[in-house]
Amino acid sequence: MRLAKQLAVIFVTLAILGGGILIFSYDVIRFEWTSFMEQQASFRAQEQPLPVPALSIPVDGPAFIPNLGAPTNPVPPDEVSIARGENLFAINCVMCHGITGEGNGQIAALLENQPANLTQDIVQSKSDGSLFLTLTNGVTDRMPPLIENLTVRDRWDVVNYLRTLHSAQ
Ligand code: HEC
């Protein structure tokens, strides 16, 4: 009988202690512990990346550095580049801009802002570098940035392909 009582006391004591610890582990009572991972210059999901530090040199070929203007196209518009560009255009752009680039892709009708007609002078008169930046950064609230889908070389290939698009008429 005495043993049972002693065991009960030990059990209840352990249960209370254990329960006390669990309260903390499940954040029922929460302490803001210092976490050094949080104390750094970083950007969170959906936030703009930090600006490129001054005097940085892109290791991945020409890229956009704020205040340096549009880059010049380093990729000659040869057959290989245009063929690659056509392929990438079919994968990344056709759903909005259409096979002929006239802004009549399959999902265009569902968009609030109509995709640009890429055969028009207003687009074709822009410099290669300007088109490159449009693909890189997208158009705010209208066209997604493609910097994560297309490498630097890919984007120049697409720009070279865009030059081959002409109005159907
Ligand atoms: C989600 C749909 C969508 C996709 C995908 C898309 N675009 Fe666009 N794009 C748009 C819309 C909408 C506009 C019109 C923006 C505006 O009203 O200025 C646009 C505009 C443009 C312009 C003209 C920008 C200007 O400054 O006049 C170019 C060039 C362009 N897109 C190229 C591309 C290329 C190349 C791709 C694929 C790599 C692509 N877009 C993928 C929707 C899209």
Side-chain angles (χ1 to χ4, degrees), residues 85 88-97 107-108 111-118 122-124 126 130-132 134-135 138-146 149-150 154-155 158-159 161-162 165:
L88 294 166
F89 185 84
I91 296 168
N92 296 285
C93 323
V94 159
M95 67 290 231
C96 289
H97 288 283
I107 68 166
L111 295 176
E112 204 174 314
N113 300 294
Q114 288 308 293
N117 179 343
L118 303 178
I122 190 166
V123 173
Q124 290 292 336
K126 297 190 175 183
S130 161
L131 294 174
F132 178 88
T134 301
L135 306 198
V139 181
T140 313
D141 292 338
R142 288 158 188 253
M143 177 174 142
L146 289 145
N149 308 48
L150 303 172
D154 288 349
R155 276 173 265 154
V158 172
V159 168
Y161 174 68
L162 288 187
L165 295 175

XYZ file of all heavy atoms in Angstrom, residues 85 88-97 107-108 111-118 122-124 126 130-132 134-135 138-146 149-150 154-155 158-159 161-162 165, ligand 1:
416
model
N 15.775 30.705 -79.001
C 14.814 31.727 -78.579
C 13.387 31.310 -78.893
O 12.484 31.495 -78.077
N 12.273 28.722 -76.367
C 12.022 29.314 -75.052
C 10.769 30.180 -75.078
O 10.014 30.239 -74.101
C 13.231 30.153 -74.612
C 14.500 29.330 -74.358
C 15.719 30.230 -74.277
C 14.341 28.530 -73.072
N 10.533 30.851 -76.198
C 9.340 31.680 -76.346
C 8.094 30.797 -76.266
O 7.118 31.133 -75.598
C 9.388 32.419 -77.690
C 8.259 33.398 -77.891
C 8.348 34.676 -77.384
C 7.120 33.031 -78.593
C 7.311 35.595 -77.564
C 6.083 33.934 -78.767
C 6.172 35.216 -78.255
N 8.160 29.619 -76.928
C 7.017 28.706 -76.920
C 6.705 28.231 -75.500
O 5.552 28.036 -75.142
C 7.305 27.508 -77.823
N 7.744 28.067 -74.699
C 7.539 27.556 -73.342
C 7.073 28.662 -72.395
O 6.188 28.457 -71.577
C 8.843 26.929 -72.804
C 9.229 25.710 -73.637
C 8.705 26.566 -71.331
C 10.633 25.201 -73.377
N 7.683 29.856 -72.512
C 7.489 30.884 -71.482
C 6.554 32.033 -71.854
O 6.119 32.768 -70.973
C 8.845 31.487 -71.094
C 9.759 30.471 -70.465
O 9.582 30.103 -69.319
N 10.726 29.989 -71.238
N 6.274 32.228 -73.123
C 5.587 33.453 -73.520
C 4.286 33.214 -74.293
O 3.387 34.053 -74.253
C 6.493 34.311 -74.396
S 8.225 34.285 -73.924
N 4.231 32.085 -75.023
C 3.135 31.875 -75.966
C 1.760 31.892 -75.290
O 0.791 32.409 -75.847
C 3.349 30.551 -76.752
C 2.053 30.042 -77.339
C 4.371 30.775 -77.850
N 1.674 31.391 -74.063
C 0.364 31.354 -73.404
C -0.236 32.746 -73.268
O -1.454 32.905 -73.261
C 0.418 30.633 -72.053
C 1.218 31.318 -70.981
S 2.961 31.251 -71.364
C 3.651 30.614 -69.873
N 0.595 33.763 -73.179
C 0.065 35.126 -73.092
C 0.169 35.849 -74.437
O -0.785 36.454 -74.900
C 0.842 35.928 -72.055
S 0.526 35.410 -70.366
N 1.367 35.813 -75.040
C 1.594 36.639 -76.225
C 1.175 35.962 -77.527
O 1.142 36.619 -78.575
C 3.066 37.066 -76.309
C 3.426 38.086 -75.269
N 3.077 39.405 -75.390
C 4.048 37.968 -74.080
C 3.510 40.070 -74.325
N 4.093 39.221 -73.504
N -4.326 32.320 -72.648
C -4.884 32.881 -71.417
C -5.048 34.401 -71.498
O -5.476 35.030 -70.542
C -4.042 32.512 -70.175
C -2.673 33.203 -70.199
C -3.882 31.023 -70.034
C -1.988 33.118 -68.839
N -4.736 34.972 -72.678
C -4.809 36.433 -72.815
C -6.205 36.956 -72.467
O -6.348 37.974 -71.791
C -4.427 36.854 -74.227
N -6.899 37.691 -68.873
C -6.085 38.679 -68.167
C -6.757 40.039 -68.169
O -7.403 40.430 -69.146
C -4.708 38.807 -68.828
C -3.803 37.574 -68.771
C -2.529 37.823 -69.540
C -3.496 37.194 -67.339
N -6.579 40.745 -67.056
C -7.149 42.082 -66.952
C -6.437 43.043 -67.904
O -7.056 43.857 -68.571
C -6.966 42.556 -65.510
C -7.938 43.611 -65.089
C -7.757 43.902 -63.616
O -7.654 42.925 -62.818
O -7.684 45.072 -63.271
N -5.100 42.903 -67.975
C -4.306 43.738 -68.875
C -3.840 42.894 -70.053
O -3.183 41.881 -69.861
C -3.085 44.293 -68.149
C -3.484 45.140 -66.968
O -4.085 46.194 -67.119
N -3.202 44.662 -65.772
N -4.213 43.292 -71.261
C -3.877 42.494 -72.432
C -2.375 42.497 -72.696
O -1.726 43.542 -72.603
C -4.628 43.042 -73.649
C -6.116 42.730 -73.599
C -6.385 41.234 -73.373
O -6.079 40.430 -74.228
N -6.900 40.876 -72.206
N -1.820 41.306 -73.021
C -0.398 41.231 -73.361
C -0.105 42.088 -74.585
O -0.956 42.238 -75.469
C -0.191 39.751 -73.681
C -1.316 39.039 -73.002
C -2.467 39.996 -73.009
N 1.112 42.638 -74.626
C 1.498 43.506 -75.734
C 1.564 42.702 -77.036
O 1.878 41.528 -77.032
C 2.851 44.136 -75.437
N 1.241 43.384 -78.139
C 1.454 42.816 -79.476
C 2.926 43.054 -79.818
O 3.333 44.177 -80.075
C 0.539 43.513 -80.478
C 0.737 42.985 -81.878
O 1.733 42.336 -82.182
N -0.222 43.261 -82.740
N 3.700 41.962 -79.803
C 5.154 42.097 -79.915
C 5.611 42.399 -81.337
O 6.777 42.677 -81.565
C 5.836 40.817 -79.405
C 5.486 40.434 -77.966
C 6.156 39.136 -77.574
C 5.867 41.538 -76.988
N 5.912 49.810 -81.691
C 6.163 50.369 -80.367
C 7.052 49.429 -79.545
O 7.845 49.874 -78.710
C 4.829 50.677 -79.649
C 5.098 51.471 -78.386
C 4.049 49.422 -79.339
C 3.871 52.101 -77.790
N 6.938 48.121 -79.792
C 7.806 47.159 -79.107
C 9.101 46.969 -79.890
O 10.206 47.022 -79.336
C 7.086 45.799 -78.929
C 8.050 44.753 -78.386
C 5.889 45.943 -78.011
N 8.968 46.783 -81.220
C 10.146 46.478 -82.037
C 11.144 47.639 -82.078
O 12.324 47.433 -82.335
C 9.711 46.109 -83.462
C 9.002 44.762 -83.559
C 9.926 43.573 -83.269
O 11.130 43.662 -83.417
N 9.334 42.456 -82.853
N 12.137 49.293 -79.621
C 12.963 49.353 -78.404
C 14.299 48.652 -78.633
O 14.392 47.759 -79.478
C 12.219 48.682 -77.259
C 10.950 49.431 -76.950
C 10.290 48.989 -75.689
C 9.106 49.922 -75.472
N 8.386 49.714 -74.277
N 16.696 47.067 -73.780
C 15.430 47.435 -73.154
C 14.488 46.225 -73.088
O 13.840 45.974 -72.068
C 14.810 48.597 -73.933
O 13.447 48.686 -73.660
N 14.439 45.445 -74.187
C 13.610 44.231 -74.186
C 14.148 43.235 -73.160
O 13.384 42.594 -72.431
C 13.600 43.585 -75.581
C 12.929 44.422 -76.668
C 13.098 43.756 -78.032
C 11.450 44.615 -76.368
N 15.463 43.133 -73.094
C 16.110 42.240 -72.126
C 15.661 42.582 -70.712
O 15.324 41.704 -69.915
C 17.629 42.372 -72.249
C 18.414 41.548 -71.274
C 18.760 40.235 -71.572
C 18.826 42.082 -70.063
C 19.492 39.470 -70.669
C 19.558 41.324 -69.153
C 19.892 40.021 -69.462
N 12.922 44.137 -69.871
C 11.500 43.807 -69.710
C 11.345 42.330 -69.339
O 10.593 41.988 -68.430
C 10.723 44.093 -71.011
O 10.862 45.472 -71.338
C 9.251 43.770 -70.855
N 12.078 41.449 -70.031
C 11.994 40.015 -69.701
C 12.529 39.760 -68.303
O 11.981 38.951 -67.554
C 12.823 39.173 -70.675
C 12.590 39.308 -72.163
C 13.163 38.107 -72.879
C 11.122 39.447 -72.451
N 10.030 41.950 -65.825
C 8.589 41.914 -66.036
C 8.028 43.328 -66.100
O 8.769 44.302 -66.169
N 6.715 43.416 -66.119
C 6.039 44.711 -66.109
C 5.136 44.664 -64.875
O 4.298 43.779 -64.762
C 5.187 44.917 -67.377
C 4.521 46.284 -67.362
C 6.033 44.755 -68.640
N 5.340 45.598 -63.972
C 4.649 45.559 -62.684
C 3.157 45.303 -62.834
O 2.484 45.995 -63.593
C 4.867 46.894 -61.928
O 6.249 47.196 -61.987
C 4.423 46.776 -60.483
N 2.647 44.297 -62.153
C 1.227 43.937 -62.116
C 0.684 43.429 -63.455
O -0.506 43.163 -63.572
C 0.353 45.120 -61.676
C 0.611 45.460 -60.219
O 1.094 44.579 -59.497
O 0.311 46.598 -59.826
N 1.535 43.340 -64.505
C 1.021 42.934 -65.807
C 1.714 41.690 -66.325
O 1.086 40.726 -66.739
C 1.210 44.072 -66.817
C 0.242 45.179 -66.522
C 0.670 46.496 -67.078
N -0.226 47.515 -66.566
C -1.148 48.110 -67.291
N -1.276 47.820 -68.555
N -1.939 48.991 -66.747
N 3.016 41.737 -66.312
C 3.784 40.605 -66.833
C 4.780 40.152 -65.779
O 5.413 40.986 -65.147
C 4.513 41.042 -68.103
C 5.396 39.974 -68.671
S 6.071 40.510 -70.248
C 7.703 39.825 -70.104
N 4.884 38.817 -65.549
C 5.797 38.339 -64.495
C 7.255 38.501 -64.913
O 7.561 38.392 -66.089
C 5.443 36.855 -64.375
C 4.894 36.487 -65.716
C 4.218 37.718 -66.246
N 8.153 38.764 -63.959
C 9.576 38.769 -64.290
C 10.019 37.347 -64.626
O 9.566 36.404 -64.002
C 10.248 39.257 -63.008
C 9.251 39.108 -61.932
C 7.896 39.017 -62.547
N 10.879 37.194 -65.648
C 11.280 35.847 -66.050
C 12.717 35.550 -65.670
O 13.314 34.602 -66.163
C 11.042 35.676 -67.550
C 9.529 35.602 -67.804
C 9.140 36.264 -69.102
C 9.042 34.177 -67.736
N 13.197 32.043 -64.610
C 12.919 30.992 -65.584
C 13.988 30.919 -66.656
O 14.232 29.860 -67.217
C 11.581 31.231 -66.274
C 10.457 31.449 -65.293
O 10.600 32.229 -64.356
N 9.357 30.767 -65.496
N 14.558 32.076 -66.991
C 15.478 32.140 -68.115
C 16.844 32.641 -67.661
O 16.920 33.661 -66.970
C 14.924 33.090 -69.185
C 13.533 32.766 -69.737
C 13.055 33.888 -70.636
C 13.544 31.449 -70.481
N 19.642 32.706 -72.153
C 18.270 32.411 -72.605
C 17.538 33.696 -72.989
O 16.858 33.769 -74.010
C 17.462 31.725 -71.493
C 17.893 30.287 -71.248
O 18.666 29.757 -72.077
O 17.456 29.709 -70.241
N 17.672 34.714 -72.136
C 16.915 35.948 -72.371
C 17.390 36.638 -73.637
O 16.578 37.155 -74.401
C 17.045 36.871 -71.153
C 16.030 36.533 -70.058
C 16.275 37.330 -68.808
N 17.076 36.564 -67.876
C 17.856 37.103 -66.942
N 17.956 38.414 -66.830
N 18.533 36.338 -66.128
N 15.883 34.857 -76.538
C 14.482 35.231 -76.742
C 14.399 36.607 -77.411
O 13.606 36.816 -78.332
C 13.689 35.223 -75.406
C 12.295 35.795 -75.598
C 13.594 33.803 -74.852
N 15.257 37.551 -76.971
C 15.261 38.888 -77.590
C 15.570 38.749 -79.082
O 14.886 39.343 -79.926
C 16.297 39.813 -76.901
C 16.523 41.076 -77.720
C 15.833 40.163 -75.495
N 14.998 36.222 -80.953
C 13.831 35.643 -81.621
C 12.724 36.686 -81.803
O 12.067 36.732 -82.854
C 13.301 34.433 -80.838
C 12.011 33.902 -81.409
C 11.996 33.282 -82.657
C 10.800 34.071 -80.729
C 10.816 32.827 -83.222
C 9.617 33.618 -81.288
C 9.625 33.009 -82.522
O 8.460 32.567 -83.074
N 12.545 37.553 -80.788
C 11.490 38.586 -80.885
C 11.672 39.426 -82.143
O 10.696 39.870 -82.745
C 11.537 39.523 -79.667
C 11.077 38.988 -78.317
C 11.050 40.109 -77.289
C 9.715 38.331 -78.428
N 9.744 38.400 -85.236
C 8.278 38.434 -85.251
C 7.789 39.627 -86.066
O 8.187 40.761 -85.806
C 7.727 38.551 -83.815
C 8.000 37.364 -82.894
C 7.519 37.680 -81.493
C 7.311 36.110 -83.415
C 1.231 36.207 -67.801
C 1.249 36.648 -69.144
C 2.575 37.017 -69.770
C 3.688 36.232 -69.985
C 3.900 34.787 -69.562
C 4.618 37.031 -70.718
N 4.123 38.287 -70.906
Fe 5.024 39.799 -71.900
N 3.494 41.046 -71.432
C 2.332 40.660 -70.784
C 1.468 41.808 -70.637
C 0.103 41.814 -69.974
C 2.144 42.892 -71.249
C 1.630 44.321 -71.411
C 2.244 45.216 -70.378
C 1.757 46.622 -70.558
O 0.541 46.807 -70.624
O 2.610 47.489 -70.613
C 3.415 42.372 -71.729
C 4.365 43.135 -72.391
C 5.494 42.620 -72.996
C 6.439 43.390 -73.782
C 6.347 44.859 -74.102
C 6.846 45.648 -72.957
C 6.873 47.113 -73.250
O 7.597 47.790 -72.517
O 6.210 47.576 -74.184
C 7.399 42.520 -74.228
C 8.603 42.838 -75.088
C 7.044 41.212 -73.708
N 5.892 41.314 -72.970
C 7.755 40.068 -73.963
C 7.503 38.842 -73.338
C 8.319 37.660 -73.547
C 9.483 37.552 -74.516
C 7.804 36.707 -72.724
C 8.341 35.306 -72.510
C 9.736 35.174 -72.180
C 6.652 37.259 -72.048
N 6.513 38.559 -72.443
C 5.849 36.574 -71.158
C 2.018 39.409 -70.322
C 2.864 38.319 -70.348
